[in-house]
């Protein structure tokens, strides 16, 4: 068990509320959410966790008890900030805002309080570059939906101490996550580099008329996508033989997409306002009902995979 008791979540939006809920899975944790605007923390968490209660993953009583340990403040000088053992920042994705937020936190929090940023893409080294105690800073990239996806990428900066990385890894395990340590602060950390290597090829296949979007998705869902949670690429490579992997790469890599720019197809879609769910059309057409169903089906699928 990590030594962390008082958790501060800075930013009570989509990710902040879910992170606070996950942190409350340990009974000894007291959680404060700080935001610059009023946030209905209880209402928001109750709404999101309805599906977990309905699926029997948690009871109403457990939800009530966990909510009783999650407090909200708009006051940067409150005890929840001063007494924090660990802060997870989840404010808007803006470098200056994040740097300013941590500068304010550093003035108020104890020097040994651990600082984490939930930024999806921004460099934790850059976010922490002006801090006095850079050794206590680390990236903690939760994935959305934060209460369901197990992975948290714990990203070391050039200055993160071993003690900080160890404590954060322990903390994440305590709250039921599957933390993965990323030893270098590189764009995309681990999982987004992998994910977007696949997306780049998927988009390229559509762009070059090799197959249309539904066919690409169908091919993935009915082949390696199905077995990925059981057999990941490096295990798979050993299973088939690294010599075979070598031969395949020797033959196929030269024809796989290796562009360092977003694809012309994606650029065209952006220019035409085809932004997916946001505009009702992307690679597919989406009605509001289909969008709602797609989101609900994803959560239901994740709950089934994780808890049933
Ligand atoms: N949404 C995702 O899928 C996702 C996934 C992983 C990581 N993230 C990262 O998490 C962070 C938050 O994303 P989100 O989707 O929850 O955003 P959001 O817009 O839902 O919430 C951001 C919250 O930050 C608050 N805020 C703004 N300035 C603040 C300040 N100075 N102090 C305190 N609070 C402040 C806002 O009022 C808002 O409630 C971003 O860095 C984002 O990249 C998002």
């Amino acid at each position: 068990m990590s030594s962390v008791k008082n958790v501060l979540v800075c930013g009570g939006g989509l990710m902040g509320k879910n992170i606070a809920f996950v942190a409350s899975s340990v009974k000894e944790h007291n959680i404060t959410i700080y935001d610059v605007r009023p946030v209905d923390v209880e209402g928001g968490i109750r709404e999101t966790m309805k599906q977990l209660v309905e699926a029997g993953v948690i009871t109403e009583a457990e939800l009530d008890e966990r909510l009783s340990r999650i407090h909200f403040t708009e006051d940067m000088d409150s005890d929840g900030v001063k007494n924090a053992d660990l802060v997870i920042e989840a404010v808007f994705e803006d470098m200056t805002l994040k740097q300013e937020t941590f500068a304010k936190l550093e003035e108020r929090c104890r020097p040994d309080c651990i600082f984490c940023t939930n930024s999806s893409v921004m460099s934790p080294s850059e976010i922490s570059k002006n801090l006095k105690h850079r050794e206590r800073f680390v990236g903690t990239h939760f994935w959305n939906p934060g209460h369901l996806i197990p992975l948290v990428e714990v990203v070391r900066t050039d200055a993160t101490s071993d003690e900080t990385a160890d404590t954060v890894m322990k903390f994440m395990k305590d709250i039921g996550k599957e933390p993965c340590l990323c030893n270098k602060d590189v764009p995309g950390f681990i999982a987004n580099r992998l994910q977007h290597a696949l997306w780049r090829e998927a988009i390229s296949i559509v762009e070059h008329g090799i197959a249309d979007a539904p066919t690409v998705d169908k091919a993935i869902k009915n082949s390696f996508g199905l077995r990925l949670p059981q057999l990941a690429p490096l295990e798979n490579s050993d299973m088939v033989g690294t010599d075979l992997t070598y031969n395949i790469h020797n033959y196929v890599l030269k024809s796989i997409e290796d562009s360092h720019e977003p694809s012309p197809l994606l650029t065209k879609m952006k220019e035409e306002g085809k932004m997916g769910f946001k505009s009702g059309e992307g690679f597919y057409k989406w009605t509001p009902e289909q969008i709602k169903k797609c989101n609900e089906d994803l959560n239901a699928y994740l709950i089934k995979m994780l808890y049933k």
Side-chain angles (χ1 to χ4, degrees), residues 261-275:
E261 300 295 332
S263 97
L265 172 60
L266 208 54
T267 310
K268 185 166 168 279
M269 287 168 72
K270 185 172 178 271
E271 283 163 5
E272 289 172 351
K274 290 185 182 165
M275 291 182 291

Side-chain angles (χ1 to χ4, degrees), residues 18-298:
N18 284 345
I19 291 170
F21 173 76
V22 174
S24 72
S25 62
V26 172
K27 282 209 162 28
E28 288 75 25
H29 287 171
N30 281 309
I31 298 108
T32 302
I33 297 184
Y34 162 77
D35 204 301
V36 282
R37 62 175 179 108
V39 175
D40 177 10
V41 167
E42 178 171 347
I45 292 180
R46 277 195 193 282
E47 181 58 29
T48 312
M49 302 313 153
K50 216 159 59 182
Q51 236 180 343
L52 287 187
V53 175
E54 282 165 8
V57 176
I58 54 164
T59 63
E60 279 285 357
E62 280 164 347
L63 181 56
D64 291 345
E65 192 280 323
R66 285 171 68 163
L67 281 167
S68 74
R69 288 182 284 108
I70 302 176
H71 315 283
F72 177 73
T73 185
E74 284 177 82
D75 179 6
M76 253 276 180
D77 293 305
S78 65
D79 288 346
V81 178
K82 281 188 223 153
N83 297 334
D85 300 312
L86 180 141
V87 179
I88 302 175
E89 168 274 312
V91 304
F92 298 135
E93 191 75 330
D94 179 292
M95 180 57 76
T96 309
L97 176 68
K98 286 183 188 289
Q99 287 172 339
E100 284 172 2
T101 301
F102 279 110
K104 285 183 197 152
L105 288 168
E106 193 160 58
E107 283 169 17
R108 291 160 174 87
C109 296
R110 290 195 321 267
D112 64 339
C113 170
I114 291 174
F115 284 178
C116 309
T117 176
N118 185 48
S119 174
S120 322
V121 292
M122 291 182 173
S123 155
S125 304
E126 196 180 342
I127 295 172
S128 63
K129 73 173 185 193
N130 299 323
L131 294 180
K132 289 187 208 92
H133 296 284
R134 295 195 63 227
E135 72 287 347
R136 43 94 165 251
F137 194 98
V138 77
T140 50
H141 180 214
F142 286 73
W143 281 56
N144 186 36
H147 62 298
L148 292 175
I149 300 283
L151 175 66
V152 178
E153 290 166 295
V154 176
V155 185
R156 300 184 76 124
T157 73
D158 49 334
T160 304
S161 69
D162 289 345
E163 195 189 344
T164 300
D166 288 350
T167 306
V168 173
M169 290 292 285
K170 263 199 210 99
F171 171 82
M172 293 301 168
K173 282 182 203 150
D174 290 348
I175 63 173
K177 289 295 179 194
E178 293 286 351
C180 287
L181 189 61
C182 183
N183 287 316
K184 291 190 181 174
D185 179 0
V186 289
F189 311 136
I190 301 168
N192 265 325
R193 289 172 87 92
L194 293 163
Q195 176 171 236
H196 287 281
L198 176 61
W199 289 23
R200 178 175 63 181
E201 186 57 34
I203 294 168
S204 174
I205 289 173
V206 175
E207 185 179 340
H208 291 97
I210 300 166
D212 61 12
T215 307
V216 170
D217 283 351
K218 182 178 169 189
I220 295 169
K221 287 183 187 185
N222 288 284
S223 62
F224 66 87
L226 199 58
R227 68 181 182 208
L228 267 180
Q230 183 59 34
L231 185 71
L234 303 180
E235 292 168 328
N236 199 345
S237 173
D238 276 357
M239 182 184 269
V240 298
T242 54
D243 52 336
L244 177 60
T245 308
Y246 176 91
N247 289 347
I248 293 169
H249 282 200
N250 199 26
Y251 186 81
V252 87
L253 285 189
K254 47 184 94 51
S255 69
I256 284 181
E257 188 60 72
D258 64 354
S259 168
H260 283 193
E261 300 295 332
S263 97
L265 172 60
L266 208 54
T267 310
K268 185 166 168 279
M269 287 168 72
K270 185 172 178 271
E271 283 163 5
E272 289 172 351
K274 290 185 182 165
M275 291 182 291
F277 281 14
K278 278 185 226 161
S279 66
E281 185 175 351
F283 289 102
Y284 300 86
K285 289 203 163 108
W286 298 95
T287 64
E289 295 73 33
Q290 286 170 325
I291 290 170
K292 186 166 176 282
K293 185 170 180 315
C294 189
N295 283 321
E296 285 170 0
D297 286 355
L298 172 63

